[in-house]
Amino acid sequence: MATVPLPLTTVDLRPPPYALDALEPHMSKQTLEYHWGKHHRSYVDNLKKQIEGTELATKSLEEIVKVSYNNGQPTAAFNNAGQAWNHEFFWLSMSPDGGKAPEGELLGLLKRDFGSYDQFVTQFKQAGATQFGSGWAWLTIQDGKLTVQNSPNAINPLVFGHTPLLVADVWEHAYYLDYQNRRPDYLTTFMNELVSWDAVAKRLQAALSES
Ligand SMILES: [Fe+2]
């Protein structure tokens, strides 16, 4: 059962659905060249080596994440599997014509569960800014309710049975070339200019149709 209507299936390095310079000036081509072309590539390459010849090699990337998390006692493949999944989900969470604001049912649920769209934005940015060290900020849905959460290192909401709708990478490699140590500025730009609300709305519809 797919959690998101996106091709997070095989363990492969798929390019973002836009050119590496398409997010400029908000996220530079240089950042994408390093972040997708080197960091993400390493996670995928290392995971392939780790699972080669094991029973994990026949599973989808999402299944590998869940199995290797091993109920909180992660096996060796978990960090690379989580990072491979998280990065693909991150690229697909952004768009060159992103930002603006959500609409329709998604906007209605954000207002219902956070009080207002602005309060959701504040909570999401706060989750990213306060994640100590490396990690991720997420919008998820569980039991029909939208929730903001953050996670360290390679952890993602899938391992807790939650459905991710949106993610911001807050590892330093995501923003240091463009924003240096100014993580809050990066998160503000992510929300104002980069979020693909179209992708989030499609993930929401998929999650609601499965529940
Ligand atoms: Fe990253």
Side-chain angles (χ1 to χ4, degrees), residues 35-36 39-40 43 83 86-87 90-91 135-136 169-174:
H35 197 180
W36 173 75
H39 290 277
H40 188 177
Y43 298 129
Q83 287 297 77
N86 294 351
H87 279 90
F90 176 57
W91 308 132
W136 304 82
D169 187 341
V170 297
W171 284 58
E172 279 191 349
H173 65 221

Side-chain angles (χ1 to χ4, degrees), residues 98-111 116-118 120-121 139 146 166 191 195-201 204:
K100 306 180 184 73
E103 302 173 340
E105 185 174 20
L106 173 58
L107 179 59
L109 292 180
L110 287 168
K111 288 179 176 175
S116 69
Y117 173 65
D118 286 346
F120 155 70
V121 170
L139 171 67
L146 300 181
L166 171 68
M191 294 306 298
V195 172
S196 172
W197 289 113
D198 183 50
V200 178
L204 175 67

Side-chain angles (χ1 to χ4, degrees), residues 3-5 34-35 74 81 85 106 154 159 161 183 193 199 205:
T3 300
V4 292
Y34 276 93
H35 197 180
W85 194 95
L106 173 58
V159 304
R183 189 191 289 185
E193 310 288 350
Q205 287 309 312

